Amino acid sequence: MALCLTTALAHVGLVFLHVAPSNVVSQRFTSQVDAWIYPLFEQNWRLFAPDPDSVNRQISARTAHTAPDGSVQVSDWVDLTAVDTAAIKHNPLPSHTAQNMLRRSWTSYVELHGGDDLSRSDRAVMMQQYLRNIAADRMAERDGKPFENIQLRVVTVPVAAQGSRPAADRRAAAAAKNADTRLLPWWKVTSDA
């Protein structure tokens, strides 16, 4: 009971320091507060002022396994975004996790890495590991086959504007032509991931 109470008080204190205006204490303990808050307890105002995406992203993953004979076996691409969409489609009360975990981890990854996939901070390394672990967990659940490496592919397509159906079809074709595909490097998956 003492441990639960201590953990609860520490959590409330750290969240308070995160959302409070900048002060001497929050500045001194920024790294400890950020380590506790991100990525699970992040606070923001998007609930009240949402900023909808202007693009659709298809995040896919594939795995690689080295066979006993030394050959590398690479799996087919698996559309992780489609798996998320299927989990929330026709569900009157979809979980926040099913809706946003993969999407938000990708958004945070891009914010911290830009276009070169180089981690320049501890937070960037943490977000790379977080994204890798989400993909690895989902691929392990999918078929249960062993793998040592995972790779992600993200296809970004601009959302077509609303309009009449024939014009919308033309815009959808133009958007598909403007699709941007980003292939991330192979990431090593450790046993603790």
Side-chain angles (χ1 to χ4, degrees), residues 25-83:
V25 177
S26 65
Q27 290 173 356
R28 182 160 186 250
F29 296 105
T30 297
S31 62
Q32 291 89 347
V33 170
D34 287 349
W36 180 259
I37 294 296
Y38 295 109
L40 300 176
F41 304 115
E42 182 178 1
Q43 304 289 310
N44 61 46
W45 288 96
R46 290 189 182 142
L47 174 65
F48 303 106
D51 184 16
D53 285 336
S54 58
V55 295
N56 287 325
R57 288 184 187 89
Q58 176 195 25
I59 302 173
S60 303
R62 67 179 175 176
T63 59
H65 173 63
T66 304
D69 65 359
S71 64
V72 177
Q73 301 166 347
V74 178
S75 71
D76 293 331
W77 288 104
V78 175
D79 187 351
L80 301 177
T81 305
V83 173

Side-chain angles (χ1 to χ4, degrees), residues 112-125:
L112 294 168
H113 289 85
D116 60 9
D117 299 313
L118 295 176
S119 300
R120 294 182 177 83
S121 68
D122 290 340
R123 181 159 159 67
V125 170

Side-chain angles (χ1 to χ4, degrees), residues 143-176:
D143 56 10
K145 294 179 182 174
F147 57 91
E148 296 85 34
N149 297 294
I150 192 162
Q151 185 178 35
L152 297 181
R153 177 182 67 189
V154 181
V155 178
T156 304
V157 179
V159 174
Q162 291 182 342
S164 64
R165 194 70 190 143
D169 290 341
R170 283 194 304 274
R171 280 192 291 272

